[in-house]
Amino acid sequence: AQSVTQPDIHITVSEGASLELRCNYSYGATPYLFWYVQSPGQGLQLLLKYFSGDTLVQGIKGFEAEFKRSQSSFNLRKPSVHWSDAAEYFCAVVLTQGGSEKLVFGKGTKLTVNP
Amino acid sequence: SQTIHQWPATLVQPVGSPLSLECTVEGTSNPNLYWYRQAAGRGLQLLFYSVGIGQISSEVPQNLSASRPQDRQFILSSKKLLLSDSGFYLCASGLAAYNEQFFGPGTRLTVL
């Protein structure tokens, strides 16, 4: 079945350290991939998306993600984490089912940033 | 960009009571609209989506229903709430699944 997996439920990093959040997808064709961020008690905001072309995608807030077809991955990275990056991060893939397209989310990775 | 409004922000309801959550959208016309439910550690579950007025698709069998009486209004309802309906409900708007979805601030529903 087509799906998206985020293996890490919770990650803790120190402020200023680098960050990588993992996302793996299961999809036959070239996927449409997204990363969203959710601050506590709020809605989601799009960080970046990949449709085609350059496999390294730049997003807002200094985030980037790299699409690796051979590994079925779309990992999110940031070279230096700020305390304000503490949030929950969701990877998502567009799923085609029954002639319609829907956005399917992973279960999320909660990021804690230590001072 | 689009702005999504949701109300109420929080709601505490007894089991068996009715429910009505409202979502309105500004800054776009004829969007696709979505209702998601978010439970702790379970990500976002798509409940309903709508591609136009009066057009509703249900993703998960349940005692909830959705309606779209106007182009930029999306309502989530229930006649009798269950304990399992507790959660964080998010409304989203987008031009298509391939495009960015804009999310509202959410409604925290607690069923007691």
Side-chain angles (χ1 to χ4, degrees):
Chain A
Q2 299 163 326
S3 66
V4 58
T5 303
Q6 293 179 248
D8 304 305
I9 297 173
H10 192 183
I11 284 183
T12 300
V13 299
S14 298
E15 191 169 15
S18 63
L19 173 69
E20 182 170 32
L21 303 181
R22 296 184 291 165
C23 173
N24 295 100
Y25 65 90
S26 170
Y27 195 72
T30 299
Y32 293 77
L33 294 158
F34 303 79
W35 274 101
Y36 283 83
V37 60
Q38 184 181 32
S39 296
Q42 298 186 22
L44 279 70
Q45 180 185 23
L46 180 69
L47 286 175
L48 47 79
K49 60 187 177 185
Y50 172 78
F51 287 178
S52 64
D54 192 346
T55 56
L56 185 61
V57 180
Q58 300 298 320
I60 63 171
K61 305 185 179 186
F63 285 92
E64 66 178 25
E66 186 170 12
F67 171 63
K68 292 186 177 180
R69 183 188 300 278
S70 61
Q71 299 178 21
S72 297
S73 69
F74 188 56
N75 295 347
L76 182 71
R77 302 193 296 244
K78 187 169 184 178
S80 179
V81 171
H82 188 262
W83 64 266
S84 60
D85 294 323
E88 192 156 18
Y89 293 80
F90 292 92
C91 182
V93 62
V94 174
L95 173 69
T96 300
Q97 190 175 54
S100 62
E101 292 80 28
K102 306 175 187 68
L103 196 58
V104 176
F105 289 84
K107 293 186 177 182
T109 298
K110 184 177 181 180
L111 174 66
T112 298
V113 180
N114 288 333
Chain B
S1 65
Q2 304 173 34
T3 302
I4 317 300
H5 300 281
Q6 286 187 246
W7 63 89
T10 60
L11 190 60
V12 180
Q13 292 284 96
V15 169
S17 63
L19 173 73
S20 180
L21 303 182
E22 188 163 347
C23 168
T24 59
V25 181
E26 292 180 0
T28 188
S29 296
N30 196 29
N32 290 349
L33 296 176
Y34 307 85
W35 277 113
Y36 293 91
R37 178 168 58 204
Q38 185 176 22
R42 299 179 67 178
L44 277 76
Q45 180 186 36
L46 179 62
L47 301 176
F48 301 94
Y49 70 94
S50 171
V51 298
I53 296 174
Q55 301 178 63
I56 308 294
S57 296
S58 174
E59 291 296 301
V60 181
Q62 57 208 320
N63 70 321
L64 299 172
S65 62
S67 62
R68 185 171 178 175
Q70 300 181 45
D71 181 43
R72 290 173 289 177
Q73 183 184 28
F74 203 25
I75 297 172
L76 183 69
S77 303
S78 174
K79 293 182 179 178
K80 289 185 178 181
L81 283 168
L82 305 173
L83 287 174
S84 57
D85 292 324
S86 293
F88 192 53
Y89 288 83
L90 289 160
C91 177
S93 170
L95 296 180
Y98 298 103
N99 296 105
E100 175 180 2
Q101 288 189 17
F102 295 87
F103 284 80
T107 295
R108 173 75 59 191
L109 172 65
T110 303
V111 182
L112 301 175

